[in-house]
Each structure stands twice: as C-alpha cells, then as structure tokens.
C-alpha cells in the first residue's frame, strides 16, 4: 500500500491517506476518445485556403483534452520553484505538492546569493540591455560571464545568446554554408535541427548514440565531397532519454573524416560531472571537441545560452552573423548577474554539494521506481528521470492522476517522443529530500497502475 497525499481542495492543505489505487473518472477513458488517443502531429500542418479557420479541428482536440483534464501544457507556477510548490492549469486545476516539474536542477533560483546579485544588477544597471550585443547591449557582467564559461570549459572565447535555443540555432545557422554538411544525432534538440536546416539542405541524421551509424554517414558524405565542411552535432546528455554518447569514440570518428564536433551541454553542464563539467568532464574529453553550446535555463537559474570556442574567427563570425544573437536584444543585467553568481556557486564546494545532492535524489527515485517494477530510461544518472509508460492514453490519464494527488511533473508524449514511448519526465532538484523521493515513487506507482487498469477496462 502506498502512502499518498489525497486530492487537494483548492485551499491546498495536504492530507495523508493510504491508498493503493486512485479513483478514475471513466468518462475520460472511452475507447477511441481523441483526448486520450490523438497526438498533435495530426494538426501540425493543416492545408487549405482558409488560413485563419483551418486549425479548428486542432482547437476542438485541445479543448477536449483540457475538459478531460489531460492537457498538460501551459500550466503556470503560483509560487517560487521550491521542492513544494503550487501549479495551476489554464482552466484552474490546482496542484499543490511535490515539484518535480521545473528546470532548476541545483535549486539556485531560490538561493539568497543569486537573489542578492539580481537585486544589485537591477539597481546598478536597470532592467534592460541597451540593445543587441553589437549595438551597445554589452555589460561588464556579461563579459565576465562569457569569459568564465570559456575558461571553465577550456576554451578561449565565449559568446552569449538570449536563450539556449538561440545558441544552438544561431551558431549552426551562421557557421554553415549551403555547400556544407551537418550530421546530427537523430534525437538532437529542435534548436540544433532548425539551425542545420536554416544553413544547408545537406542535413542528415545518424541513429541515436550509434557511432557506427555516424561513421557510415561520414564515409558516405566524404566519399562524394572532399571539399566542404562537415559539422557533427550531438548533446552532452539527451534529457528526454537521460543518455549520453561515447564522446571519445565519436570525436575519433569525426577526426577520421575531417569533421568538426559540436556538443550541446544544456542539461549536463553545471549540474553533473566532475566540477560540474558534465559529460565532457566525465568522459575526459574536455578541450577535444571543437564547439560547445549550452543553456542557463537548467542549472543557472535564468534564461540565456552560450557558445564557447577556441577559434577567434569563429567567435567573431558567429558574433557578427549569428541571427538570434545579432538581431535580438542582449541578455538583461539581471539575467547576467544571476548566471554569473550561479557560475560562481557551481564552481565552488557548495556547487559540488548540490550536484551530489541532486544525483542522490535521482538515484533514490530510480531505485524506488525500479523496486515497483517501473522502468526509468537512460545510461547515465542526471537530474532528469524519464519514467517510461509506453501507451499515450495511459500516460495522459496517469498525468491527470498525479496532478490530482499532489505531484507536479511533465509528460513527454508523441510526437516529442516516438509512438508508444510516452513517459513522465521527472526533474529533480538539489533541495529535494529523501522523503520527497519516497513520496514521488508512491504517487507515480499508484497513478500509473490506476491508469493502466482504467485504460484496460474501458471497452467493457
Ligand atoms: C539540448 C537543448 N538545447 C537547448 C535547449 C533550449 O534551452 P532554452 O530553454 O534555454 O532556450 C534545450 C531545452 O530544453 C535543450 O534540451
């Protein structure tokens, strides 16, 4: 029997009850119900002359999902991002309880030093940058931050972007000419895929983490084109799957074919690896990759992204031609101060304690869920714990149940993941406690079993 918090009244005072099943409203589980079955791919590219009206089927589908409480998007937090928080859906469904649904792996968004730095920057420089980086948007905090990131990762040059998405997109799109080739891991982030597509039509994908598949692609490309550049793109840790490539081998293969290596370390840098160096540090390949991009939005308590490189000309080129960096306003003084203070903490003994803490939390949750027969995906332990459910209807229903029973977490469903690969994506934080880890296991286990039974019995 699992010990779980009951469904919370709007006043939100948690009450401990013992249950081994959550009640399921069967009106939401009829077979063929589009709220449970249909994924957003069906509506992504509607055709027809009526540009302003042709998305009506998508709207009906979205409303139906919201009505059944299985629309997990556009929820907002009503509290700061602490381990216990309140989140509310657009139609007013309140979840007050455990927060495993935000990107603040080291719990730095509530750190007093970070808040102090933000306040000081606001007082010293005001709330906004003067413009784009090239047009007076720079700030000494930004210079220190960019240099600090480059130094930590063993590079000479650092460039900041408005978001992590912009860093990946802008770097690839500006560096690549239409004659070049970009070869990406099949599960590379949206920003990287769009950057490649904006730069060249010569875009191809290798099988996820499969270095043999990469070698075959590079051999094929080099066989037909010895003159143009090849950029190979992967991630430090793929957060949807909590897994990582064998980077040393990948780099070796790229060298064989004269290809340049870029790694997006959005999820692992700062929060994982020796001294916060993520997979580059863990696999001992620091300084061996050519380009590193990353994001502040997971471990640095603010929004923003970066590129680090050892090439002065690449730095200058991307700074000049890197669309989202060149034509968007620069990061604000407050964002810069927050990321800089986070970087200082990340590099200190306190940063190490926080990394150990979030890692322990992830290990405990993985062990707990495995003990209940649930499968956590991945080949590395990181703050993101993907809990595989498989069936989309079961996952949607389970998401509703966890929300009703005091757990804030995210659902990853097709097309964001392959069909029949729907999963929860728990995001642990350094400030979570052992008790939180035990309780999240109880809630998930009960919700998933309850949803599976309801779905299995829906035709009866
Ligand atoms: C690999 C990767 N790159 C970039 C991003 C985008 O970062 P941001 O949210 O800062 O734009 C993400 C976000 O989830 C990511 O997973």
């Amino acid at each position: 029997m699992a010990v779980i918090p009951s469904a919370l009244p709007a006043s939100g005072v948690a009450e401990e009850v013992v249950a081994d099943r959550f009640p399921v409203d069967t009106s939401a589980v009829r077979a063929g119900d589009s709220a449970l079955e249909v994924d957003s791919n069906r509506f992504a590219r509607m055709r027809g002359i009526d540009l302003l009206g042709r998305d009506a089927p998508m709207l009906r589908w979205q409303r139906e999902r919201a009505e059944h409480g299985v629309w997990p998007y556009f929820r907002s937090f009503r509290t700061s991002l602490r381990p216990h928080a309140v989140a509310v859906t657009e139609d007013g469904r309140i979840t007050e309880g455990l927060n495993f649904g935000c990107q603040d792996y080291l719990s730095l968004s509530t750190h007093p030093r970070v808040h102090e730095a933000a306040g000081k920057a606001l007082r010293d420089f005001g709330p906004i940058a003067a413009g784009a980086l090239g047009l007076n948007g720079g700030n000494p905090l930004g210079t220190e931050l960019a240099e600090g990131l480059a130094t930590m990762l063993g590079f000479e040059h650092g460039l900041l972007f408005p978001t992590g998405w912009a860093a990946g997109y802008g770097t690839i799109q500006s560096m690549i000419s239409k004659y070049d080739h970009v070869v990406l891991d099949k599960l590379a982030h949206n920003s990287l895929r769009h950057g490649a597509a904006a730069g060249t039509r010569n875009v191809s994908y290798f099988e996820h983490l499969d270095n043999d598949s990469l070698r075959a692609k590079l051999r094929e490309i080099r066989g037909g084109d010895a003159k143009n550049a090849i950029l190979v793109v992967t991630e430090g840790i793929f957060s949807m799957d909590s897994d990582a490539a064998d980077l040393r081998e990948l780099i070796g293969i790229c060298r064989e074919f004269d290809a340049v290596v870029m790694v997006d370390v959005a999820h692992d840098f700062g929060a994982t690896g020796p001294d916060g160096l993520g997979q580059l540090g863990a696999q001992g390949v620091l300084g061996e990759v050519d380009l590193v991009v990353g994001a502040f939005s997971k471990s640095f308590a603010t929004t923003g992204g970066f590129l680090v490189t050892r090439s002065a000309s690449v730095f200058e080129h991307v700074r000049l031609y890197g669309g989202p960096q060149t034509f968007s306003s620069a990061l604000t003084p407050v964002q810069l101060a927050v990321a800089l203070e986070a970087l200082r903490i990340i590099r200190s003994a306190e940063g190490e304690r926080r990394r150990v803490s979030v890692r322990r939390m992830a290990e405990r949750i993985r062990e707990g869920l495995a003990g209940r027969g649930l499968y956590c995906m991945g080949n590395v332990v990181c703050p993101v714990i993907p809990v595989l459910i498989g069936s989309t209807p079961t996952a949607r229903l389970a998401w509703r149940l966890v929300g009703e029973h005091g757990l804030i977490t995210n659902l990853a469903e097709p097309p964001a993941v392959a069909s029949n690969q729907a999963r929860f994506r728990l995001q642990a934080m350094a400030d979570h406690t052992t008790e939180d880890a035990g309780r999240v296991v109880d809630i998930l286990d009960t919700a998933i079993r309850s949803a599976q039974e309801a779905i299995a019995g829906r035709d009866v």
Side-chain angles (χ1 to χ4, degrees), residues 100 355-367 381-382 385 428-438 440:
F100 280 85
R355 279 187 289 279
V356 169
S357 169
V358 72
R359 185 184 168 89
R360 281 209 187 116
M361 214 43 60
E363 283 167 348
R364 282 209 170 94
I365 293 168
R366 283 176 170 275
E367 280 161 25
V381 175
C382 79
I385 306 147
M429 290 191 278
D431 283 354
H432 278 129
T433 63
T434 309
E435 196 195 7
D436 295 336
V440 78

Side-chain angles (χ1 to χ4, degrees), residues 103 162-166 168 189 191-192 235 237 239 264-267 294-298 302-305 425:
Q103 304 186 134
T163 63
W165 197 96
H189 189 257
S191 55
L192 307 168
E235 296 183 20
I237 290 181
S239 73
D264 184 333
V265 298
H267 286 274
F296 299 140
S297 52
K298 330 293 171 190
T302 188
T303 305
R425 213 162 151 263

